[in-house]
Amino acid sequence: SVQNLRYAHAYVPSLSVDFSPKIFGMYTFREKSKIDAIRHVMTPRASFSYTPDMKGKVPNYYHTVIVDSTGKTRTYSLFDESIYRTPVPSGRQGAVSLSLMNNIEMKLKPGSDTAEEVKKVKLLDNFNFTTHYDIFKDSMRWSPISMTGNTSLFKKLVNLRFGGRFDPYSYVVDKSGTRRSVNTSLWKDKHQLLRLTSFDVSLGMNFRSKQSKSGTTEKESETEPASR
């Protein structure tokens, strides 16, 4: 016979709602300017998800045990060491996810040559902010705000990517000198909206060889991005 053979099944109803409009903005320059206009497209997105607590509706896959002499307890799943983990989450879950995607491009007027077409240049591509709010978490329900973006410079010869994280909570400094977030709003504690906790930049370069007289095709190579 096979010992310690357990069977588990999932029964997890959930509800999700998503809202994602588009907002367009345009700034037009004067007639003598070489720039015709700058266009800004914003795509805010809000989504809500909820999973009820299925305790009592499905078998109990979680046990609580005492882990030390002080009576401290820990809850663990019977399937923690299995390949597929526990099929049913413990307790109810609910979150609100927020994001804001930005795309900014510039339109240049054609030169003296009437055959020249209007040129569009991307200033910022996929300049995004994301965060989420955990409804049922005991403390620090807001997650750090993540920022990402990229742009091209020098006629797309240089690709610039950047990203960062912002914490809405205040902090304390422990004995090792490390900052640790605490469950206090940064605005309430220090009258600051956010604090930057990390930032990184990477560069990529494209090298193009000119077309030879024999009519060979153009070659392109890209360097590995350098992060710091």
Side-chain angles (χ1 to χ4, degrees):
S1 62
V2 180
Q3 296 182 355
N4 298 325
L5 177 64
R6 296 187 177 95
Y7 167 78
H9 64 275
Y11 180 60
V12 187
S14 61
L15 171 68
S16 61
V17 180
D18 188 273
F19 179 67
S20 181
K22 282 187 179 292
I23 303 173
F24 298 88
M26 181 81 73
Y27 180 81
T28 305
F29 287 78
R30 296 179 180 179
E31 185 177 352
K32 295 182 179 181
S33 175
K34 294 182 179 180
I35 303 174
D36 184 22
I38 291 181
R39 184 178 185 233
H40 183 195
V41 181
M42 292 188 297
T43 309
R45 181 177 181 179
S47 61
F48 168 76
S49 62
Y50 172 71
T51 302
D53 187 1
M54 298 307 297
K55 186 177 181 180
K57 305 297 181 182
V58 295
N60 184 16
Y61 300 129
Y62 296 88
H63 285 178
T64 300
V65 295
I66 299 175
V67 295
D68 58 24
S69 59
T70 63
K72 185 178 179 181
T73 62
R74 182 179 71 88
T75 300
Y76 74 97
S77 168
L78 299 176
F79 298 90
D80 276 346
E81 303 300 328
S82 64
I83 299 176
Y84 300 103
R85 312 290 292 179
T86 308
V88 181
S90 175
R92 58 181 178 175
Q93 297 180 356
V96 177
S97 298
L98 303 173
S99 65
L100 177 62
M101 183 171 67
N102 298 271
N103 288 282
I104 304 175
E105 64 180 13
M106 177 174 59
K107 185 187 295 184
L108 300 177
K109 295 178 180 179
S112 56
D113 186 359
T114 56
E116 186 179 350
E117 297 181 354
V118 175
K119 184 178 181 181
K120 293 182 179 179
V121 179
K122 289 186 177 181
L123 300 179
L124 281 176
D125 192 22
N126 294 328
F127 183 40
N128 305 331
F129 296 89
T130 58
T131 186
H132 75 270
Y133 180 80
D134 194 326
I135 299 174
F136 301 116
K137 196 174 180 181
D138 293 335
S139 61
M140 300 176 65
R141 296 177 177 178
W142 283 105
S143 69
I145 299 175
S146 298
M147 175 194 69
T148 58
N150 61 79
T151 187
S152 299
L153 306 172
F154 308 113
K155 297 182 179 180
K156 297 184 179 181
L157 293 178
V158 177
N159 297 319
L160 175 66
R161 296 181 178 89
F162 56 89
R165 287 171 67 87
F166 300 88
D167 197 334
Y169 293 100
S170 189
Y171 61 91
V172 293
V173 180
D174 58 22
K175 295 180 180 179
S176 64
T178 304
R179 290 185 178 184
R180 180 171 54 85
S181 297
V182 294
N183 189 33
T184 303
S185 168
L186 187 64
W187 177 260
K188 182 179 179 180
D189 189 22
K190 301 180 182 297
H191 297 288
Q192 297 177 11
L193 186 61
L194 299 168
R195 62 184 178 92
L196 180 65
T197 58
S198 66
F199 186 80
D200 60 89
V201 178
S202 63
L203 289 174
M205 299 185 67
N206 296 322
F207 295 97
R208 297 174 182 267
S209 60
K210 295 182 180 179
Q211 188 174 13
S212 64
K213 294 182 180 180
S214 60
T216 56
T217 56
E218 185 182 72
K219 296 182 180 180
E220 180 180 343
S221 62
E222 183 175 347
T223 62
E224 294 291 334
S227 302
R228 63 176 182 177

